[in-house]
Amino acid sequence: MTTVATLVPPALPRFDVVVVAPDLDPWLEGNTGIRGFTTRDSGETGPHVILVSLIHGNEIAGAVALDRLLRAGLQPLRGRLTFGFANIAAFERFDPVEPIASRYVEEDLNRVWDRTWLGGSRRSVELDRAREMRPLIDTADVLLDLHSMLWPSDPLILCGSTMKGRRLAQGIGTPALVVSDPGHSNGRRLIDYAPFADPELAPVATLVEAGQHWQAGTVDATIEAIAGLLRQLGMVAPDDPLLPPRTTRLPSAFAEVTTVVTAKTAGFAFVQPYRGGQIIRKRDTLLAVDGATDIRTPYNNCLLVMPSLRPSRGHTAVRLARVI
């Protein structure tokens, strides 16, 4: 037993909602046959890029970014560009007074992208929506999944475990930190969907965590990532006035997750309020207590990826990564 086994998880703080949820009424019908998805076709040969927001209904920064670009009239120079609003049912419940409550309706839409589950008989609001989206997702050459974070963390890109995902993420250029990780123990993310996760197939996806939920800077970081992706693919002009100018790009920092820490008990608690992106210098440093189990750093210079300071039992508490 550890001497700090009585650590208590912190109470949820009050989170300020600075960003106003967008009016999505003009985009709900869409033009793809799938509610909430709008495609703009250049008429020229090129990739089909899908930008997905609202996989979690309360992560509104991505939706604000896509709404802004749609209203501004952003068009691809080549290929097709699809703007998507995923968990509309959860988003319609969003309340800035209780912004955490509308992450999903019945289950996490970012844990259901398993072919067996999608082809099975089990029903939920989110599974049904994934099945509805799936025919369009299957046409993507490149997919960018737009997210934000509840707890303080440096922005980052999650690229999955494939080299194609890493190349795509590093080519975007912003956020500067790219993290390769295997996903979660309780279900497959959209970027882990089979066509994207198979290194032998061409389709590729990556996920941007652009900053904290409900902050204006997170919207800006989201649009910068979209701009980096579209410039990388030659789908917009380098000086497109609808996108932020390219900033001086530093080489991407790359880290590889070696350990996904999943909370085994309801009493999981960190020893201090860590921030995502923080590096713990010494191996064997105590990070958290999960019942009678100590959670310690497995090596020197251990990068903490998106620690969740109040994880539910069975959910990811933190990912531990080695900087390459």
Side-chain angles (χ1 to χ4, degrees), residues 44-59:
E44 302 292 334
T45 301
H48 181 200
V49 174
I50 301 182
L51 308 173
V52 180
S53 67
L54 294 180
I55 283 287
H56 297 130
N58 64 341
E59 296 184 17

Side-chain angles (χ1 to χ4, degrees), residues 101-176:
S102 55
R103 180 176 172 85
Y104 52 79
V105 178
E106 293 183 277
E107 63 179 318
D108 193 329
L109 182 55
N110 215 28
R111 301 292 185 274
V112 301
W113 292 91
D114 182 286
R115 279 180 167 169
T116 301
W117 292 12
L118 293 170
S121 59
R122 185 170 70 83
R123 299 285 304 275
S124 73
V125 169
E126 279 74 21
L127 254 176
D128 288 349
R129 178 57 168 165
R131 291 170 181 140
E132 181 185 8
M133 292 166 52
R134 185 182 183 184
L136 184 62
I137 299 301
D138 281 339
T139 70
D141 297 300
V142 178
L143 183 142
L144 184 63
D145 193 9
L146 307 173
H147 287 257
S148 54
M149 297 174 278
L150 178 63
W151 299 99
S153 178
D154 297 340
L156 55 89
I157 303 179
L158 296 173
C159 67
S161 300
T162 65
M163 182 56 68
K164 63 181 180 179
R166 175 177 174 176
R167 286 194 295 264
L168 177 69
Q170 291 183 307
I172 291 172
T174 181

